[in-house]
Amino acid sequence: RKLWAALRVPGGAWLLLFVAVYKAGESVVDVMWFPYLVDSGFTREQISLWAGVYGMGFSLGGSLLGGVLSTVLPLWRALLVACVLRLGPMLLQWMLASGLVAATRTTIPLAIWSEAVTGGALTVAMFALMMARVDRSIGAMHYTLLACVEVHGKGLCGMASGVLAQQLGYGALFGWGVVLSALCLPLLLPLRIAPVPDVAPQPPPDLPPRRG
């Protein structure tokens, strides 16, 4: 009952919707990004080096950036900044797949590393907002629900990515990913206007002192 009540407070449904779709465009692109790189002639060793070795460091840096944004800005605004920054690498990925920018050993690492930085910042900002908006009296349950919605939202979009790539091609698919990510931005406005109240648990009553 408390969980249902927490979802029905002003802004609760908008939060659930945004958590479900905020990475829809990113998921569509990410699933087919590495197949695109392989089809473009880059070796698995090159991709592993750029994305696995160096990319992990850039991702950690992006996570730190997300933490800083979430500290110095209101959480909805930090998330907005991270979402806007995330559009930059996605646009570059679309331009590469569409042939507007040549896929070279310079542009591909730039796309991978900028994606790692902005993706890490976005994830941290989103999880910080989720933690701040849970009802603390059922904090574990409320946060788990939001986390499950976040994971399944990404997974469902990723499942459709391969089929769409066969039908549309890499360029069009990545373009739709950018559009989906941009369409998620207005969903942040209700979170600013009607935030979910942060309910703290009541402290337990004082126990009488033991005798003897």
Side-chain angles (χ1 to χ4, degrees):
R1 289 196 298 269
K2 284 190 174 184
L3 180 60
W4 179 242
L7 297 176
R8 295 181 63 189
V9 298
W14 286 107
L15 176 63
L16 202 64
L17 176 62
F18 186 79
V19 169
V21 302
Y22 84 106
K23 277 200 172 183
E26 179 181 335
S27 300
V28 167
V29 174
D30 283 352
V31 171
M32 298 308 300
W33 174 238
F34 292 106
Y36 158 74
L37 295 179
V38 173
D39 291 345
S40 298
F42 295 96
T43 66
R44 297 182 184 276
E45 289 77 12
Q46 290 174 314
I47 298 171
S48 298
L49 179 64
W50 294 334
V53 179
Y54 300 127
M56 182 61 67
F58 282 98
S59 180
L60 291 174
S63 298
L64 291 174
L65 174 61
V68 172
L69 290 174
S70 300
T71 301
V72 301
L73 297 174
L75 289 177
W76 75 269
R77 193 182 297 274
L79 190 56
L80 176 62
V81 171
C83 287
V84 172
L85 291 176
R86 183 68 180 90
L87 291 175
M90 295 185 66
L91 282 170
L92 178 56
Q93 290 171 317
W94 166 70
M95 294 172 70
L96 288 165
S98 300
L100 300 176
V101 174
T104 67
R105 293 187 179 184
T106 300
T107 57
I108 294 299
L110 176 62
I112 293 175
W113 297 339
S114 59
E115 185 273 339
V117 171
T118 56
L122 177 57
T123 299
V124 169
M126 182 71 256
F127 278 54
L129 180 67
M130 289 163 52
M131 287 187 285
R133 296 300 178 91
V134 298
D135 183 336
R136 292 186 184 179
S137 64
I138 50 168
M141 182 186 296
H142 196 177
Y143 184 82
T144 299
L145 173 65
L146 294 175
C148 289
V149 171
E150 196 262 354
V151 170
H152 283 84
K154 294 186 297 185
L156 291 175
C157 293
M159 288 172 60
S161 185
V163 176
L164 293 175
Q166 286 184 326
Q167 300 295 325
L168 303 176
Y170 290 120
L173 176 68
F174 291 1
W176 275 111
V178 176
V179 172
L180 289 174
S181 294
L183 289 176
C184 290
L185 295 178
L187 297 179
L188 275 170
L189 294 179
L191 299 182
R192 174 182 65 90
I193 297 170
V196 177
D198 193 6
V199 181
Q202 297 296 324
D206 293 333
L207 298 177
R210 295 181 62 183
R211 295 182 178 181

